[in-house]
Amino acid sequence: MFIDNVKITIESGRGGHGHISFRREKYVPNGGPDGGDGGRGGDIVFVADTGVNTLTDFRYKKKFHAEDGVNGGGSKCKGRNGNDLILKVPVGTLVRYGWEANETGNPTGLVMADLKTEGEHRILAKGGRGGRGNQHFATPSRQAPKFCEDGKPGKSYQVTLELKLIADVGIIGFPNAGKSTLLSRVTKANPKIANYQFTTLSPNLGVVRHEFGRDFVLADIPGLIEGASQGVGLGFDFLRHIERTRMLLHVVDAARLEDDLTPVEAIEKINAELAAFNPTLLERPQIIAANKADLPLDETQIADLKAFAAEKGWQVVLISAATNSGMEELIRSTAKMLETAPETADFEPDYETYFEPERAQESITVEKIKDGLYSVEGPAIERLLGYTNMADERGFAFFQRFLRERGIIDRLEELGIQENDTVQLYELQFDYWK
């Protein structure tokens, strides 16, 4: 089954906790703290792999967690780092932050990664840093620290994986216009071909090898009918694959066997759906392949089609996918247009939105919540609470000294704190006394 849009949760590994221990050996005069550091948590890494064609692997499993780091040990033993979790995705996969989508079903989150080349990889959730053991907190005045750092938690994101097939040319048009037959004629692809609408239920790719220039990739895009951008028919599920193409090959039923639309009306309706989905798609170069030219045609309508295309700067090529006539001219014209067609659109990631620096900013917020209750928060406070043992007399003294040296006590007094008022530091609360 072709799956090209999934919603998953990724979470990197937590860092291992530091260790508290002391070296006590007979006849060893220089003992002291020797608690080891915790290991780093594993990263979540996305890798583009040509061996993967769809996002089926993410259809049922929705949560992915990298391995946690191992806690530190005695004798300065460092905990093992957690293994990274490698997630292989098809080339052309976008990773977007969040699960939100607009009314047309397009994910709206900012791009975290655009994996469009084989082997390209991105670390999208860095593992938590391991905590330091008590060996790092020994000083001349504090020779037996009884505290250590906890490991930092990993990063957790809800993300949307969105596959946009990478092809040079996108074949568009109404059902039964002959798109799949055309693809089978000019490539070695074997799409399902039948005389009913929506025979093609997923995009098909084929490589055109010829003597008119470099080889190029064709993509047969299904699901385009009037109202597709609002969910009619196969809906907008496959419109996203056109966004990667450099140009469009618009196949139209010139013999009008399937509906009452003239070739010009059919083109205008399909282009209206493209504009409703993404207006920039109409900026792509187009070639009109007027198919079924082996059947009797209305010359007036063909003349109107050529005049319409000339106004747009498009070329019209009369072909018959059934008899293979006109195919050489179509391939030659497509190859020539690709020489000047713009490159595949890029979706630039905004990494700063998602990755915080390894060391958070040292800002500390001190504010009055209400009479008798004050709050102190900030990354430095979180780290302090992570490695300070409040039950130990020396640890608590170190905690008080930190508050005074950072000016937190002075700031609380400026806000009007009184004795017996409560100060809240995340989960910790204590009463204020001078």
Side-chain angles (χ1 to χ4, degrees):
M1 180 177 294
F2 186 81
I3 305 296
D4 59 358
N5 188 291
V6 294
K7 299 176 177 64
I8 63 173
T9 300
I10 58 175
E11 185 176 2
S12 58
R14 181 185 182 90
H17 300 320
H19 188 70
I20 302 173
S21 63
F22 297 90
R23 183 179 183 183
R24 297 186 180 92
E25 296 181 47
K26 193 175 183 180
Y27 307 121
V28 178
N30 297 320
D34 67 350
D37 301 340
R40 177 187 58 80
D43 300 334
I44 298 290
V45 186
F46 282 84
V47 178
D49 187 350
T50 53
V52 182
N53 297 320
T54 76
L55 298 172
T56 307
D57 292 343
F58 304 94
R59 186 183 182 193
Y60 297 109
K61 185 177 180 180
K62 297 296 185 180
K63 295 183 178 180
F64 297 86
H65 189 284
E67 186 180 19
D68 294 335
V70 178
N71 297 338
S75 301
K76 300 183 179 180
C77 289
K78 183 182 183 300
R80 180 176 60 82
N81 292 335
N83 291 323
D84 296 340
L85 180 59
I86 309 296
L87 301 179
K88 294 183 179 180
V89 295
V91 176
T93 299
L94 285 177
V95 184
R96 293 183 181 272
Y97 179 78
W99 293 352
E100 296 79 11
N102 58 21
E103 65 278 359
T104 63
N106 266 341
T108 56
L110 295 177
V111 176
M112 297 178 73
D114 182 9
L115 304 169
K116 57 183 182 297
T117 58
E118 163 68 12
E120 187 175 2
H121 67 280
R122 290 286 185 272
I123 299 175
L124 295 189
K126 292 187 69 66
R129 182 167 53 86
R132 292 179 293 173
N134 67 334
Q135 60 170 311
H136 294 282
F137 300 99
T139 66
S141 60
R142 186 178 63 237
Q143 298 182 3
K146 296 181 181 179
F147 53 86
C148 63
E149 277 186 336
D150 288 342
K152 302 302 179 185
K155 304 290 185 182
S156 178
Y157 302 115
Q158 291 179 333
V159 300
T160 300
L161 305 185
E162 183 184 12
L163 175 58
K164 297 177 184 285
L165 292 181
I166 295 180
D168 297 300
V169 182
I171 305 177
I172 61 174
F174 274 98
N176 279 14
K179 303 188 298 296
S180 297
T181 304
L182 170 62
L183 182 69
S184 67
R185 290 292 186 178
V186 298
T187 73
K188 292 185 178 181
N190 294 305
K192 183 178 179 181
I193 300 172
N195 189 29
Y196 57 86
Q197 287 194 346
F198 306 124
T199 309
T200 304
L201 298 177
S202 63
N204 292 302
L205 292 177
V207 179
V208 178
R209 302 189 184 281
H210 58 95
E211 68 276 14
F212 307 119
R214 70 175 182 87
D215 298 342
F216 57 87
V217 179
L218 277 174
D220 175 15
I221 310 298
L224 292 187
I225 64 172
E226 186 177 5
S229 59
Q230 282 75 46
V232 178
L234 294 182
F236 38 70
D237 290 341
F238 300 112
L239 281 166
R240 65 175 62 93
H241 298 291
I242 304 177
E243 293 184 293
R244 290 286 194 185
T245 59
R246 299 174 57 200
M247 61 169 288
L248 301 176
L249 190 57
H250 202 142
V251 181
V252 63
D253 181 359
R256 298 181 60 185
L257 296 181
E258 302 299 331
D259 52 53
D260 296 329
L261 297 177
T262 67
V264 172
E265 291 172 343
I267 292 173
E268 288 180 328
K269 288 186 180 297
I270 292 296
N271 283 345
E273 297 304 318
L274 299 184
F277 181 79
N278 185 346
T280 61
L281 292 177
L282 293 186
E283 300 174 5
R284 309 285 165 84
Q286 288 194 34
I287 290 181
I288 308 300
N291 193 23
K292 305 180 183 180
D294 55 312
L295 301 175
L297 303 179
D298 187 325
E299 296 299 331
T300 301
Q301 293 183 4
I302 297 301
D304 292 341
L305 174 62
K306 292 181 178 180
F308 171 79
E311 292 179 3
K312 302 288 187 179
W314 301 336
Q315 181 180 354
V316 176
V317 181
L318 293 177
I319 67 168
S320 172
T323 63
N324 218 30
S325 65
M327 290 300 183
E328 182 175 321
E329 180 185 355
L330 180 64
I331 296 304
R332 183 185 293 108
S333 300
T334 302
K336 183 177 181 180
M337 183 171 288
L338 280 174
E339 294 177 358
T340 57
E343 292 299 321
T344 302
D346 291 333
F347 298 84
E348 291 298 331
D350 183 3
Y351 292 106
E352 294 181 359
T353 303
Y354 309 100
F355 297 108
E356 302 171 4
E358 195 66 22
R359 286 301 239 177
Q361 294 182 356
E362 298 297 322
S363 59
I364 297 176
T365 302
V366 182
E367 59 183 356
K368 182 177 181 179
I369 305 300
K370 61 181 181 180
D371 289 342
L373 179 61
Y374 297 81
S375 171
V376 180
E377 294 183 350
I381 297 297
E382 287 187 277
R383 291 200 301 272
L384 173 70
L385 297 177
Y387 62 71
T388 303
N389 183 4
M390 297 297 183
D392 179 70
E393 182 179 350
R394 292 184 178 180
F396 187 68
F398 172 75
F399 169 73
Q400 290 180 307
R401 188 165 60 252
F402 177 91
L403 296 182
R404 291 199 176 277
E405 290 177 352
R406 291 300 182 96
I408 296 173
I409 299 297
D410 293 339
R411 178 61 179 149
L412 288 171
E413 291 177 350
E414 291 176 2
L415 294 175
I417 193 170
Q418 302 295 323
E419 289 191 2
N420 209 30
D421 284 349
T422 300
V423 180
Q424 180 172 315
L425 294 82
Y426 295 98
E427 301 299 324
L428 175 68
Q429 290 186 348
F430 66 89
D431 294 333
Y432 175 78
W433 294 92
K434 286 190 178 180

